[in-house]
Amino acid sequence: MKTTIKATLICTLLFSQPLLAVTLNDARQQGLVGETLSGYIAPIKQDKATLALVKNINEARAEHYQQLADSNNISVDEVAKLAGQKLVTRAAPGEYVRGINGQWMKK
């Protein structure tokens, strides 16, 4: 009996966890985050899950930008700004982007 309960609990936890996780695309479509010209995403909604997602995505982007900067002998800031321009331009209709005036706008 106890084994069955443990197995059920473990299965529930394993299968429910991915349902709780929000992907970057989901967050963009739901208006939780938006792209910025700096090359990093910024939170629109300030809840714990969104802030954690923003932190993780931005850390991964910073690492990738550093690799690109090193291999091309340019600054990380240059790489990030170039990426930011492309990401803002490529944002899908309905997604948020932060303009040069610092205001969020929906594409």
Side-chain angles (χ1 to χ4, degrees), residues 4-94:
T4 305
I5 294 172
K6 285 181 186 178
T8 304
L9 181 60
I10 290 171
C11 285
T12 302
L13 290 173
L14 287 175
F15 291 113
S16 65
Q17 192 66 16
L19 297 176
L20 298 176
V22 175
T23 66
L24 176 56
N25 287 333
D26 291 341
R28 285 181 185 141
Q29 292 169 356
Q30 293 172 22
L32 303 175
V33 301
E35 291 292 345
T36 68
L37 292 169
S38 69
Y40 299 96
I41 60 170
I44 295 170
K45 188 172 180 191
Q46 301 292 319
D47 65 275
K48 195 174 186 177
T50 300
L51 295 174
L53 176 69
V54 168
K55 181 179 182 259
N56 290 336
I57 296 296
N58 286 341
E59 285 175 355
R61 284 187 179 183
E63 187 176 309
H64 184 67
Y65 295 161
Q66 184 64 58
Q67 292 171 353
L68 289 170
D70 291 345
S71 64
N72 290 291
N73 280 340
I74 58 176
S75 73
V76 175
D77 289 339
E78 266 186 277
V79 173
K81 286 179 184 177
L82 288 170
Q85 291 171 354
K86 288 181 181 181
L87 290 165
V88 166
T89 301
R90 289 188 212 163

